[in-house]
Amino acid sequence: MTAFQWLVAMLLILHILNFVGINYALSEERSSENTSFPIATNGQPFPWNKLRLPDWILPVYYDLLIHPNLTSLIFMGSVKIQVTVVHETSTIVLHSKHLEITSAAIEEENGKTQADLKVLEYPPHEQIAFLYAEPLLVDKKYFLSINYIANLSDGFYGFYKSTYKTKDGQTRLLASTHFEPTSARMAFPCFDEPSFKANYTIKIRRDGQRSALSNMPKVKTLKLDNHLFEDHFAESVKMSTYLVAFIVSDFQSVSGTTSSGIKVSVYVTPEKLNQAHYALEAAIKILEFYEQYFGIYYPLPKQDLVAVPDFQSGAMENWGLTTYRETSLLYDPETSSASDKLWVTMVIGHELAHQWFGNLVTMEWWNDIWLNEGFARYMEFISVDATYPELQVNDYLLGTCFAAMGRDSMNSSRPISSKAENPTQIKEMFDTVSYDKGACILHMLRNFLTEEVFQNGIIHYLKKHSYSNAKNNDLWNSLANTCSEEDFTSGKFCYSKSQVAKNAHSYYVDEHFDIAEIMNTWTLQKGIPLIIVEQNQKRIKIRQERFLKGIFQHDPQWASMQIGFLWHVPLTYITSHSKSIGRHLLKNHSDTIELVEDVNWVKFNVDMNGYYIVHYEGNGWDTIIELLNQNHTIFSYKDRANLIHNAFQLVSAGRLSLDRALDLMQYLQHESSNIVLLQGLDYLAAIYHMMERRNISDVTESLKRYILQHFKLVIDRQTWSDEGSISDRMLRSALLELACDLQYPPCVQKANELFSKWMGSGGNLTNIPSDVLETIYSVGSKTADGWNFLLERYKVSMSGAEQRKICSALASCKDDAKLTRLLELAMEGHIIKTQDLSSVIYSVSTNPAGQHLAWKFVKKNWSKLLEKFPLGSFSIRTIIIGVTAQFSSKQELEEVKLFFESVKEKVSQLRAPQIAVENIEKNIKWLDRNLVTLTKWILENLK
């Protein structure tokens, strides 16, 4: 570069700096530490160099017009954004992705001055900058008008096209949106961060064969030329960009009204309208419950629930227009099982909870997404328990917390509140930690504070931060002080910070505690505590460590992985002499509890209301095993499930021998609780399948014989029906699936008999119980004719629930050629939709005959998979973690490491490869440590 060229470049940068009007008094978070500027697509310096937008311009109001053409698959848009200037500047920086800006202008509030704007684009940050010749003045309002054009997205984000087939084979198109977390910028230029809340007025142009939906009710429709119509929707409440939504389709709906006058509608493809009624009933009941529970009326006049034929995640909480995968919303009495019904109800409970947690009050940034997702996951249980008690939903909170602990006990875990800056990192935040661990620590906190204090606290949180944003500490402050000015002036009772201890559980008394201090140990550090209990008559010594699976105390890295970890643990316990719950807040690495009298045994984490693992040193486990064999009902069913879970987790951590964990489960042949039976059987089935995949045939066969002998009575009691409670029905599904998988002759024979009848009727036999359909299909898929018939049935089925069961069955066959064909069909995306590709790959990988086939398929098609799914998406994580989860050999470990090394340029920022590798290392250690013990124990316990 010559001196003259250097001088010109410097002058251009100085001009941009002056043009931008960068104010170095901006907040430290928003100001730039790096003075270099990236280069825009036109070769000029781009006037902003950070991923987060500057905060010198704030959006107030968007007036948005969208016109999709479902023939050309292009949409045109125009948006007029009212902004307020916080710091004087000549540049407006906002988000845009894959949008072609055709014109941009700005006008002052009085409308007298209007000027065209220069546009710069920087795609790596998905940002555009509009440059104005004059400074924009502080506290003045301006109107930014932008016209643009874009393609409807091919994927599942932004404004994307979707298709469905009618019964007669016609393909129909629609267009729908999915913006969370960072894809509103794919539909219109916007300030696409959760703290930039604004109001919206939306207009949609469409043809006469389709209708449009958006967040708010339609207020009028204009008839335009060329057979077009323009629907105008009412102005929205103040909300974040990711909650904006619109759909253009030919869907039909069923509707009802809540007791407070909210119109609730469920929209589906026309031929599936009969599957929408249960969702409507559930949505009305749950919406009414939330209004009562939160003490805040739902603020919109309507709530639409829409089943979108192509949908990557389970559902999305767009305010007033929640969208769902069809299997998460539709219920077909003929093909939907008890677990399908529970799933639909829980998902609706989740999305409607978001209308308050997430929509009304939104996390300030994505690092605290758990404030949205953890709360919504927990409110699923509270709302469904209140509205559908027969579903016994609280039983399944145990499984949610078991899943969270499984993830959190690995070194590759992360804190609930974690740094996330770019779109890939943000997408990865939507994981087990945010959802399940978030729900479980809220459950622990609710038990810690009492229901009344917890409910009052979250009401205070919602009211204080309505239409605004919040951080972790805002929640803790609300839970510690639930009084408001309104409470004081009206004379209502409430809890102040100093009163919480007096009104909460007894262990608060005489203790000074800080909720934020306690809860920060659960949200700002990763992992889960192991509580080690040593009981000697009336003295109980307790200490805490970080619990780690697959890393043992004698391993060199174990000690370093313990440094700096300390939790404030609200312990609960019962003893041989008292069923009254004892409570103790453990704040240090060790402590002692003095009981009033000598006891024979103690059991911690009553009903598993806490988020921790417990190990009983000395003869503690021996005593518990003996108690279970003598009279297992001495412990509640939740405590029994908790003991089984803890025992097997401790085996994985090298703290308990496998034979003792298996001894603990010997009593299960007398177990009456379905939840506990399923918990125990899940562990035995997991061990069986590990042996089967490693082709350790003698142990596989012996374990199969043990399971069928030990659980023969309960298996034989199962009827091939849909009778009984939800719990009975889910146990039946699981037991018969396992029995047939183990080739139990009566099970296989009955399943084949029912499949033959169904296939003989051309798939028209409707009296086959839905709870056993998946087992029947799976057994039927083992023949060539059966597999081909199921595939043809899949093509014409109008039930997403049935298609899911068929797909699972197709993936369970033992024929390599058929499994390969199934994977190829899913990759093509015509017969099997792309939305189901990751689940098909995962299902094939769980089949011992398909695990290496699936892994080879992933490696071969890695680039194509990344074209279909974003890097941090749930689908990619399912593929990476799910396909490798069954591996347990050093050769497989090396293969996986080599593959991730070969693609590290793309996956280096992901946590998923670390999780996958750690999973395999854990499996290898488990086998090395336990195979001999397992072999010996089974032989000793076979009859």
Side-chain angles (χ1 to χ4, degrees):
M1 179 182 285
T2 66
F4 176 74
Q5 288 173 323
W6 180 87
L7 179 61
V8 170
M10 288 302 101
L11 287 172
L12 181 57
I13 290 174
L14 287 172
H15 173 69
I16 290 289
L17 286 170
N18 181 59
F19 210 37
V20 173
I22 289 180
N23 188 328
Y24 288 98
L26 291 176
S27 65
E28 187 177 331
E29 180 183 8
R30 297 289 186 173
S31 63
S32 174
E33 296 173 1
N34 183 355
T35 56
S36 64
F37 286 85
I39 302 301
T41 52
N42 65 354
Q44 294 185 10
F46 189 80
W48 186 247
N49 61 356
K50 297 182 78 68
L51 281 164
R52 300 277 296 273
L53 295 179
D55 59 1
W56 55 56
I57 299 284
L58 300 179
V60 177
Y61 175 81
Y62 291 79
D63 188 358
L64 177 64
L65 170 65
I66 296 286
H67 179 196
N69 186 319
L70 291 176
T71 302
S72 64
L73 303 181
I74 290 172
F75 70 96
M76 293 182 289
S78 65
V79 62
K80 188 174 187 178
I81 311 172
Q82 179 185 329
V83 298
T84 295
V85 181
V86 178
H87 298 282
E88 186 175 303
T89 179
S90 300
T91 297
I92 302 175
V93 181
L94 61 162
H95 288 108
S96 175
K97 182 179 180 181
H98 302 325
L99 304 178
E100 181 186 337
I101 309 299
T102 55
S103 66
I106 193 165
E107 63 181 273
E108 294 182 18
E109 188 173 6
N110 56 24
K112 292 181 180 178
T113 306
Q114 183 167 345
D116 292 339
L117 298 173
K118 183 175 182 179
V119 183
L120 296 177
E121 184 178 2
Y122 186 58
H125 288 180
E126 300 174 359
Q127 292 173 355
I128 53 174
F130 296 102
L131 311 183
Y132 191 34
E134 299 176 11
L136 302 173
L137 304 179
V138 174
D139 292 334
K140 287 198 69 173
K141 292 180 180 177
Y142 294 87
F143 295 89
L144 175 64
S145 297
I146 309 165
N147 294 312
Y148 59 97
I149 189 169
N151 293 317
L152 287 170
S153 171
D154 278 330
F156 304 93
Y157 289 94
F159 192 26
Y160 67 94
K161 64 179 174 66
S162 175
T163 63
Y164 71 91
K165 283 191 175 180
T166 62
K167 282 182 180 177
D168 58 7
Q170 292 182 40
T171 298
R172 294 188 180 173
L173 275 78
L174 61 133
S176 183
T177 58
H178 186 107
F179 293 160
E180 190 181 35
T182 60
S183 294
R185 64 193 69 174
M186 296 174 69
F188 60 103
C190 57
F191 297 81
D192 200 10
E193 295 177 8
S195 61
F196 288 120
K197 290 193 170 187
N199 299 85
Y200 296 80
T201 297
I202 294 174
K203 306 180 188 74
I204 307 287
R205 287 183 183 167
R206 57 172 177 83
D207 60 39
Q209 284 72 50
R210 296 178 177 90
S211 58
L213 297 171
S214 189
N215 304 83
M216 299 299 290
K218 185 169 62 176
V219 291
K220 66 178 178 180
T221 298
L222 303 180
K223 189 172 182 180
L224 309 177
D225 295 336
N226 300 321
H227 307 290
L228 291 177
F229 297 84
E230 185 175 283
D231 293 327
H232 292 219
F233 297 89
E235 182 178 336
S236 77
V237 293
K238 190 177 181 183
M239 62 185 183
S240 303
T241 48
Y242 76 87
L243 296 171
V244 175
F246 36 87
I247 299 172
V248 177
S249 71
D250 65 349
F251 288 176
Q252 294 178 5
S253 66
V254 291
S255 300
T257 307
T258 68
S259 57
S260 58
I262 307 301
K263 183 180 180 183
V264 179
S265 303
V266 178
Y267 285 85
V268 298
T269 58
E271 291 171 334
K272 296 180 181 179
L273 195 61
N274 65 319
Q275 300 176 42
H277 297 287
Y278 177 71
L280 177 63
E281 172 203 300
I284 290 173
K285 291 175 73 169
I286 292 172
L287 200 61
E288 289 175 342
F289 167 78
Y290 282 143
E291 287 189 321
Q292 176 270 326
Y293 187 86
F294 297 136
I296 301 171
Y297 283 116
Y298 175 73
L300 275 59
K302 61 96 174 174
Q303 171 62 236
D304 296 334
L305 301 86
V306 185
V308 181
D310 295 278
F311 204 88
Q312 187 181 2
S313 57
M316 176 59 207
E317 66 265 23
N318 317 299
W319 215 344
L321 184 61
T322 53
T323 47
Y324 301 76
R325 184 181 279 236
E326 289 187 331
T327 51
S328 297
L329 188 66
L330 304 186
Y331 178 77
D332 178 7
E334 291 184 3
T335 59
S336 295
S337 64
S339 59
D340 292 330
K341 187 173 191 177
L342 180 64
W343 171 252
V344 167
T345 317
M346 296 285 278
V347 175
I348 291 171
H350 184 101
E351 301 313 321
L352 294 185
H354 271 312
Q355 308 302 296
W356 286 265
F357 282 101
N359 299 8
L360 186 65
V361 180
T362 311
M363 76 278 139
E364 188 169 295
W365 183 249
W366 301 106
N367 62 302
D368 279 333
I369 185 59
W370 86 275
L371 289 174
N372 285 19
E373 300 301 348
F375 255 113
R377 173 58 54 87
Y378 188 45
M379 291 309 301
E380 294 174 25
F381 295 95
I382 293 177
S383 64
V384 175
D385 182 54
T387 53
Y388 289 92
E390 69 276 13
L391 294 181
Q392 300 169 291
V393 70
N394 280 330
D395 290 352
Y396 305 101
L397 181 59
L398 292 172
T400 296
C401 297
F402 292 157
M405 290 174 172
R407 171 74 179 88
D408 214 18
S409 58
M410 298 171 67
N411 194 46
S412 54
S413 187
R414 64 169 181 85
I416 283 181
S417 184
S418 299
K419 183 179 178 181
E421 293 298 323
N422 65 46
T424 295
Q425 293 167 344
I426 291 167
K427 285 185 179 73
E428 257 204 320
M429 292 291 287
F430 292 78
D431 65 357
T432 298
V433 174
S434 290
Y435 285 72
D436 295 345
K437 182 179 180 179
C440 295
I441 67 165
L442 288 171
H443 179 64
M444 180 172 66
L445 183 59
R446 182 186 182 209
N447 187 258
F448 182 87
L449 294 175
T450 74
E451 160 60 24
E452 187 177 9
V453 174
F454 180 81
Q455 185 177 356
N456 285 342
I458 62 176
I459 289 171
H460 184 247
Y461 168 78
L462 289 170
K463 288 183 175 179
K464 183 175 181 180
H465 300 286
S466 288
Y467 303 105
S468 187
N469 299 81
K471 298 180 180 179
N472 262 353
N473 277 340
D474 295 318
L475 176 60
W476 311 144
N477 289 337
S478 290
L479 286 164
N481 184 354
T482 63
C483 294
S484 65
E485 290 181 13
E486 183 182 312
D487 290 322
F488 288 125
T489 56
S490 67
K492 292 179 183 176
F493 179 76
C494 68
Y495 294 110
S496 67
K497 196 168 188 176
S498 62
Q499 290 173 314
V500 170
K502 297 176 183 177
N503 293 287
H505 283 305
S506 58
Y507 55 70
Y508 291 162
V509 179
D510 299 325
E511 287 204 49
H512 298 284
F513 67 88
D514 182 322
I515 291 180
E517 183 183 15
I518 293 168
M519 294 310 296
N520 283 343
T521 70
W522 298 95
T523 59
L524 301 184
Q525 66 179 346
K526 67 181 178 179
I528 178 172
L530 170 65
I531 304 302
I532 301 167
V533 178
E534 183 184 348
Q535 182 238 327
N536 184 8
Q537 296 179 334
K538 66 179 180 180
R539 172 170 288 187
I540 305 172
K541 293 182 180 179
I542 49 177
R543 67 183 192 271
Q544 63 165 293
E545 297 173 357
R546 181 187 174 197
F547 179 73
L548 289 164
K549 283 201 298 190
I551 301 170
F552 304 153
Q553 281 179 291
H554 60 262
D555 290 340
Q557 69 269 40
W558 186 87
S560 63
M561 290 180 176
Q562 297 291 328
I563 296 171
F565 286 90
L566 178 68
W567 288 265
H568 289 191
V569 189
L571 300 174
T572 58
Y573 58 90
I574 54 174
T575 70
S576 58
H577 285 45
S578 176
K579 288 298 179 70
S580 296
I581 298 174
R583 302 177 186 276
H584 183 83
L585 183 61
L586 177 63
K587 299 179 181 179
N588 302 310
H589 286 287
S590 62
D591 207 345
T592 301
I593 299 173
E594 292 284 350
L595 303 176
V596 295
E597 59 184 329
D598 292 348
V599 298
N600 299 322
W601 56 264
V602 62
K603 196 276 173 188
F604 275 80
N605 201 359
V606 179
D607 285 339
M608 205 182 143
N609 287 323
Y611 187 76
Y612 53 92
I613 303 287
V614 183
H615 177 43
Y616 302 92
E617 286 195 328
N619 63 353
W621 281 107
D622 294 336
T623 302
I624 287 169
I625 291 168
E626 186 178 345
L627 286 167
L628 288 170
N629 282 321
Q630 290 173 355
N631 176 19
H632 62 274
T633 61
I634 199 167
F635 300 116
S636 72
Y637 75 92
K638 289 184 179 179
D639 276 338
R640 300 196 298 271
N642 174 229
L643 287 167
I644 292 171
H645 172 262
N646 278 6
F648 279 88
Q649 297 307 300
L650 291 166
V651 170
S652 293
R655 295 299 187 117
L656 189 68
S657 63
L658 176 61
D659 55 353
R660 298 311 281 145
L662 292 168
D663 286 343
L664 183 144
M665 292 210 301
Q666 284 280 64
Y667 91 94
L668 279 178
Q669 58 189 322
H670 307 297
E671 180 59 72
S672 57
S673 166
N674 297 338
I675 295 300
V676 184
L677 272 170
L678 284 172
Q679 181 66 21
L681 278 165
D682 280 349
Y683 281 116
L684 290 173
I687 296 171
Y688 169 81
H689 287 126
M690 178 184 280
M691 299 302 114
E692 186 184 24
R693 289 185 191 95
R694 286 300 304 275
N695 199 26
I696 308 173
S697 55
D698 56 336
V699 182
T700 303
E701 187 59 32
S702 296
L703 186 53
K704 177 168 78 172
R705 285 173 55 206
Y706 172 79
I707 295 171
L708 292 176
Q709 282 180 11
H710 201 65
F711 296 96
K712 184 178 189 302
L713 288 176
V714 69
I715 291 171
D716 288 345
R717 278 203 308 267
Q718 303 309 308
T719 59
W720 294 72
S721 69
D722 288 337
E723 297 171 356
S725 67
I726 292 289
S727 175
D728 291 336
R729 295 172 63 184
M730 291 179 72
L731 176 70
R732 178 185 301 123
S733 295
L735 275 176
L736 292 178
E737 180 182 352
L738 177 61
C740 282
D741 189 32
L742 297 176
Q743 297 300 301
Y744 183 47
C747 184
V748 175
Q749 182 180 341
K750 183 66 174 179
N752 271 322
E753 176 190 323
L754 290 170
F755 185 81
S756 296
K757 286 182 180 178
W758 178 73
M759 193 166 78
S761 72
N764 295 318
L765 194 65
T766 59
N767 62 350
I768 294 181
S770 59
D771 290 336
V772 295
L773 272 180
E774 192 162 346
T775 297
I776 293 167
Y777 291 163
S778 180
V779 171
S781 72
K782 302 304 187 288
T783 68
D785 287 345
W787 198 92
N788 291 328
F789 184 82
L790 282 166
L791 181 59
E792 292 305 310
R793 174 67 182 180
Y794 183 95
K795 294 176 184 178
V796 299
S797 175
M798 286 286 115
S799 166
E802 182 182 36
Q803 286 185 316
R804 184 194 61 77
K805 293 175 179 65
I806 291 174
C807 219
S808 176
L810 293 172
S812 72
C813 85
K814 306 302 180 185
D815 187 315
D816 278 7
K818 286 183 168 52
L819 292 175
T820 300
R821 185 182 175 201
L822 182 66
L823 290 167
E824 289 170 350
L825 287 173
M827 179 63 85
E828 289 167 7
H830 301 307
I831 293 172
I832 299 173
K833 282 182 168 287
T834 300
Q835 67 173 9
D836 298 314
L837 172 58
S838 62
S839 63
V840 168
I841 295 172
Y842 174 70
S843 293
V844 171
S845 77
T846 61
N847 178 351
Q851 60 176 344
H852 291 112
L853 193 69
W855 174 236
K856 289 175 184 175
F857 181 84
V858 169
K859 291 190 291 183
K860 178 182 176 183
N861 293 283
W862 180 248
S863 297
K864 292 179 182 177
L865 291 170
L866 290 185
E867 290 172 6
K868 293 177 180 293
F869 306 114
L871 191 56
S873 65
F874 175 77
S875 294
I876 290 296
R877 281 180 279 139
T878 297
I879 292 167
I880 291 175
I881 300 170
V883 171
T884 58
Q886 322 301 328
F887 291 168
S888 57
S889 72
K890 292 178 181 177
Q891 180 185 344
E892 290 166 331
L893 176 62
E894 288 308 308
E895 281 184 21
V896 170
K897 283 182 174 179
L898 282 172
F899 173 71
F900 288 135
E901 180 66 24
S902 72
V903 296
K904 69 177 181 180
E905 186 178 341
K906 288 189 175 180
V907 304
S908 60
Q909 60 185 307
L910 292 182
R911 293 188 186 91
Q914 302 166 38
I915 298 168
V917 167
E918 193 176 351
N919 258 329
I920 302 169
E921 291 172 341
K922 171 178 65 70
N923 293 343
I924 292 170
K925 276 195 171 184
W926 195 98
L927 261 180
D928 288 346
R929 181 183 174 87
N930 296 301
L931 182 56
V932 172
T933 304
L934 175 66
T935 306
K936 182 173 180 287
W937 188 91
I938 295 172
L939 291 176
E940 290 174 351
N941 286 275
L942 271 175
K943 296 175 183 177

